[in-house]
Amino acid sequence: WSKGKSGRKFPYYRCYYKPCESYGKSIRRDDLEEQFASIVRSLQPSKTTFALVKAMFKNAWDLRLAQVKQVKEELKSDIRNVDLQIEQILDRITESNNLSVINAYEKKIEKLDHQKLILAEKLQKTGEPKHTFEQMFEHSLNFLANPCKIWDSGDLELRKIVLRLRFSERIPYDRKTKSLNPKKSLPFNILGDFDMQKRKMVGAEGLEPPTRPL
């Protein structure tokens, strides 16, 4: 805080990084924070873009669920086939009087039992998610959809979360150009790419492309 001639105090940011050429110099807080707030507002995706991204996530989720169910059915089928082979070998054992043949059959059954245990273990590990798509991603999707609302709440802890999740690293400020140079995190880069592609399509054709179901 710096005191003016009238005795009123004004807030500033000061650089404490010694290797920086701006070390010890100050930047007005209002200038810096207003610029940062505009960057946060630029991260707000359009409703159409967000709906498309959400639909893509949901489509990927449903596809993954279908794959899990298919794998489980295949494992169950493999276990049934092993059981069938064991039953067939047991029938052959009861019909045979040759000890060497019986021993060979018993070794075969041991191998099949071991194979069955492996399949059963895989089946147990191939579990479906305990929660629905909405339960798993509701808060994350709300964050992606309303970053400005969260920042504007003024809550310090929420703002810290915004900084950690929206930006991949600490944000540098150039005093000469008076510009912030943030690197957005992956989710916001993806949303930004979608918005950019949409604007290009609209600019090229003069209208928005029709929405297609995924």
Side-chain angles (χ1 to χ4, degrees):
W1 291 86
S2 178
K3 186 180 291 186
K5 293 181 180 179
S6 63
R8 182 183 173 189
K9 291 184 177 181
F10 298 92
Y12 285 82
Y13 282 101
R14 179 173 294 172
C15 178
Y16 289 98
Y17 184 56
K18 290 184 177 180
C20 180
E21 61 180 14
S22 295
Y23 173 72
K25 297 180 180 179
S26 301
I27 305 110
R28 288 183 69 245
R29 184 194 67 181
D30 292 345
D31 292 343
L32 192 60
E33 292 192 357
E34 285 175 10
Q35 187 178 353
F36 179 74
S38 67
I39 291 173
V40 173
R41 285 191 290 271
S42 72
L43 298 176
Q44 185 81 20
S46 67
K47 291 183 179 180
T48 303
T49 297
F50 181 75
L52 175 61
V53 172
K54 182 178 180 180
M56 291 180 65
F57 275 116
K58 185 64 167 64
N59 187 59
W61 174 271
D62 292 340
L63 180 61
R64 178 57 180 164
L65 279 181
Q67 291 174 341
V68 168
K69 289 180 180 179
Q70 181 179 353
V71 170
K72 290 180 69 174
E73 290 302 318
E74 290 175 353
L75 288 171
K76 290 178 181 179
S77 177
D78 291 340
I79 291 174
R80 287 194 295 269
N81 289 334
V82 171
D83 284 334
L84 181 60
Q85 292 181 57
I86 291 174
E87 289 179 7
Q88 291 174 344
I89 293 174
L90 287 173
D91 290 339
R92 292 175 186 174
I93 289 176
T94 58
E95 295 173 356
S96 177
N97 295 321
N98 190 315
L99 290 178
S100 60
V101 172
I102 292 174
N103 288 334
Y105 282 151
E106 289 175 346
K107 289 181 180 179
K108 179 65 175 177
I109 289 176
E110 287 180 8
K111 290 182 180 180
L112 290 171
D113 280 333
H114 181 68
Q115 183 181 347
K116 183 179 176 180
L117 287 174
I118 294 175
L119 291 171
E121 185 178 357
K122 287 182 179 180
L123 180 61
Q124 186 177 6
K125 290 181 178 179
T126 309
E128 297 180 19
K130 297 179 180 180
H131 304 287
T132 64
F133 174 82
E134 288 73 18
Q135 290 171 331
M136 290 288 289
F137 296 103
E138 181 180 3
H139 294 299
S140 298
L141 290 172
N142 285 338
F143 174 81
L144 290 173
N146 303 291
C148 299
K149 183 178 180 181
I150 296 174
W151 180 260
D152 292 338
S153 69
D155 185 282
L156 182 59
E157 291 304 316
L158 287 177
R159 284 189 165 188
K160 288 180 180 179
I161 294 173
V162 168
L163 289 173
R164 287 197 298 268
L165 297 182
R166 290 186 186 178
F167 305 103
S168 60
E169 59 186 40
R170 299 180 73 173
I171 304 170
Y173 179 78
D174 190 327
R175 289 184 74 255
K176 291 182 179 179
T177 61
K178 296 183 178 180
S179 60
L180 288 165
N181 301 293
K183 290 186 178 180
K184 293 181 290 184
S185 61
L186 180 60
F188 287 97
N189 272 325
I190 293 173
L191 289 172
D193 289 342
F194 271 105
D195 270 334
M196 182 63 71
Q197 291 174 11
K198 182 187 171 189
R199 284 196 292 269
K200 287 181 178 179
M201 293 177 71
V202 172
E205 300 184 14
L207 50 83
E208 295 191 13
T211 304
R212 295 182 178 178
L214 297 176

